[in-house]
Amino acid sequence: MINSMNAQYEMLTWDTEFFGYPVAKINGGCLSDEELEFCLLNLNTKAKLVYYSSEKPLESDRILHEFNGLLVDKKTTFVKENPRPATLNPAIVEYNADMPLNELIDLSQASGVYSRYRIDPRIENEKCDDLYKQWILNAIQHQLADRVLVYQIGQKLAGLITLGTKNNRADIGIVAVQARERGKGIGKALLSAADVFSKEKMLTAIQVVTQGANLPACALYHSAGYEVRKVEYFYHFCL
């Protein structure tokens, strides 16, 4: 990690390998224009893609224009405190190797429609699909999740949710429902599975991060008793 003035940036090994070009992240939250510009100037010959998130939007568009920046997400963290006891819908079971993997991958990729990688037109859609494919494959290997649950209708996978723990809270990674099955209460049933999981783990809160532009997901979380705890403005700079 490199210290520049009061800001810090770091090169991201996994992202660099995944995209095939140098990727960096600027840390520090609400930087001044001067601090952000200093970091970007230092990274200009080191990185092609730079992530930066802030609790406030940039005050001017000058840096966006000069460094090819784009606001790609209003990253929104929802939290539900003290979830009530719930029962698991009998249609929800843990994913296993006998279930269709392609359907699971398709569901995962569909959940990324509002992803910052999908929103940024300078990143190929195939890369976003690959990222979500890798995410769900790692989740079923218990590298990114403790549990992967699916909602089954017959032999078909109608929905999925990945669950883990983070910051002493139950943590929802991916929630997805097949487009043809939406409006049938499947999303709420999957969120109830998160309530069950939190009680099993003796955790008193559940968190989930989604995109501010994903209005259907935000409405679902609000209806299930979640409240917005944090909003971050996420930028991509292509140097």
Side-chain angles (χ1 to χ4, degrees):
M1 189 176 295
I2 300 93
N3 198 333
S4 295
M5 300 176 68
N6 293 322
Q8 295 178 327
Y9 61 82
E10 58 184 306
M11 304 304 297
L12 302 177
T13 302
W14 189 94
D15 298 69
T16 295
E17 293 177 353
F18 178 77
F19 285 106
Y21 49 74
V23 181
K25 175 185 178 182
I26 295 175
N27 301 307
C30 298
L31 303 182
S32 67
D33 284 1
E34 182 184 20
E35 290 169 331
L36 180 57
E37 184 174 15
F38 191 87
C39 280
L40 290 168
L41 285 170
N42 273 275
L43 285 167
N44 198 40
T45 58
K46 300 181 180 73
K48 180 177 179 180
L49 175 62
V50 178
Y51 307 147
Y52 172 65
S53 64
S54 174
E55 295 176 3
K56 298 189 300 182
L58 296 182
E59 293 183 358
S60 73
D61 291 335
R62 179 183 63 83
I63 291 180
L64 295 179
H65 291 311
E66 290 186 7
F67 294 95
N68 200 21
L70 184 68
L71 176 64
V72 290
D73 188 16
K74 293 181 181 178
K75 184 178 175 182
T76 306
T77 300
F78 285 86
V79 175
K80 183 178 183 179
E81 300 280 1
N82 300 311
R84 296 178 180 178
T87 57
L88 193 65
N89 188 302
I92 297 176
V93 295
E94 189 155 7
Y95 178 83
N96 64 66
D98 293 329
M99 296 176 181
L101 180 59
N102 286 342
E103 290 183 20
L104 189 74
I105 292 172
D106 288 345
L107 271 170
S108 177
Q109 291 173 333
S111 74
V113 64
Y114 295 98
S115 164
R116 59 189 171 95
Y117 299 104
R118 182 79 69 188
I119 296 300
D120 192 336
R122 301 162 300 188
I123 296 176
E124 297 177 353
N125 285 341
E126 290 78 6
K127 275 297 181 183
C128 185
D129 286 340
D130 287 346
L131 189 149
Y132 275 81
K133 177 180 178 180
Q134 192 61 53
W135 187 352
I136 196 63
L137 291 176
N138 287 340
I140 62 177
Q141 295 295 324
H142 302 295
Q143 297 176 29
L144 294 178
D146 295 333
R147 201 165 297 171
V148 177
L149 303 177
V150 294
Y151 190 107
Q152 286 188 298
I153 297 179
Q155 299 300 313
K156 297 291 185 179
L157 305 187
L160 81 87
I161 186 169
T162 69
L163 299 166
T165 58
K166 189 176 183 180
N167 301 326
N168 294 317
R169 295 171 177 163
D171 182 68
I172 298 172
I174 298 176
V175 180
V177 177
Q178 288 281 11
R180 65 179 180 272
E181 305 295 349
R182 291 171 188 164
K184 300 179 180 180
I186 294 174
K188 286 187 176 181
L190 291 167
L191 291 186
S192 291
D195 294 344
V196 174
F197 177 81
S198 70
K199 292 299 183 183
E200 289 178 0
K201 297 292 185 180
M202 295 184 289
L203 299 168
T204 59
I206 310 169
Q207 67 181 22
V208 60
V209 177
T210 192
Q211 302 86 14
N214 192 345
L215 299 182
C218 292
L220 174 65
Y221 298 134
H222 277 300
S223 70
Y226 289 74
E227 297 180 352
V228 175
R229 288 294 175 85
K230 186 177 183 181
V231 175
E232 297 172 88
Y233 295 83
F234 217 107
Y235 296 89
H236 284 178
F237 294 91
C238 286
L239 305 181

